[in-house]
Amino acid sequence: MSTDLTPVIAASARWLLAAYPPPAGALNAALAEAQARQAATLAAHLRYPGDLDVQLLHLLGPGGSARLDWLTGSEAEPADAAWRTWVDETVVSWAACFLADPAVTARAHRLPAAAGLPAEARAPGLRRLARPGARDSEAAVLLRHPDLLEPVMALHRASLTELLDTEGCAAA
């Protein structure tokens, strides 16, 4: 059975970009996608830290985007139905927390569970997420706006906070 999180990461990042689109332009789209993908990668690997977790995800499925779509008022097109089934609500919520607050990203990156992250999710790969430059922030103005992200962040912020607090105490 697969232990690959790529479908969940790609679908969750795609959902974030569809719900909070970047300003017009190819560079803005690329920079926003890089940030959404980094946030979704970190969130997915913290949510599913072990091979068994990932295997269970593939067996049971991530749940889809229906609740997120309803919460944000997004209209899902019939052509989007396939990829939206791979959206994981918790991954999206945690990714939104990382996008809205780089300090949360830094805390999450120091967790022992983050040691097993793939190369693209380890420093310096998370630079755009943890320390966005002015151009990164401009390209992801909606994607990083705390007030706009609040309903999505609120869904699973408590579980992320608990993970950060619990793992942080274990590391100390």
Side-chain angles (χ1 to χ4, degrees):
M1 186 172 282
S2 177
T3 58
D4 184 17
L5 287 170
T6 304
V8 170
I9 293 168
S12 297
R14 185 172 175 181
W15 186 90
L16 282 163
L17 290 168
Y20 305 101
L27 182 58
N28 286 335
L31 291 174
E33 182 178 356
Q35 294 172 71
R37 189 174 268 293
Q38 287 177 358
T41 299
L42 179 59
H45 283 279
L46 292 177
R47 173 86 166 123
Y48 303 104
D51 289 345
L52 182 58
D53 300 308
V54 179
Q55 290 174 6
L56 286 171
L57 168 70
H58 284 280
L59 182 66
L60 302 174
S65 67
R67 184 173 174 200
L68 292 165
D69 292 337
W70 173 82
L71 187 65
T72 59
S74 298
E75 300 267 337
E77 298 292 325
D80 291 344
W83 71 263
R84 286 179 179 274
T85 62
W86 279 99
V87 174
D88 184 296
E89 182 181 296
T90 303
V91 169
V92 170
S93 180
W94 289 7
C97 291
F98 298 146
L99 287 161
D101 189 352
V104 173
T105 302
R107 280 183 66 199
H109 196 260
R110 287 191 298 265
L111 293 178
L117 293 173
E120 69 271 7
R122 290 191 302 252
L126 289 177
R127 186 192 59 77
R128 288 194 192 288
L129 182 60
R131 291 183 314 279
R135 188 69 184 103
D136 295 317
S137 296
E138 290 170 14
V141 67
L142 298 179
L143 190 60
R144 287 187 168 273
H145 196 289
D147 294 336
L148 296 176
L149 291 171
E150 181 55 35
V152 174
M153 292 188 308
L155 290 173
H156 298 281
R157 181 189 293 123
S159 61
L160 177 60
T161 302
E162 183 179 332
L163 175 70
L164 293 175
D165 291 344
T166 303
E167 292 288 329
C169 288

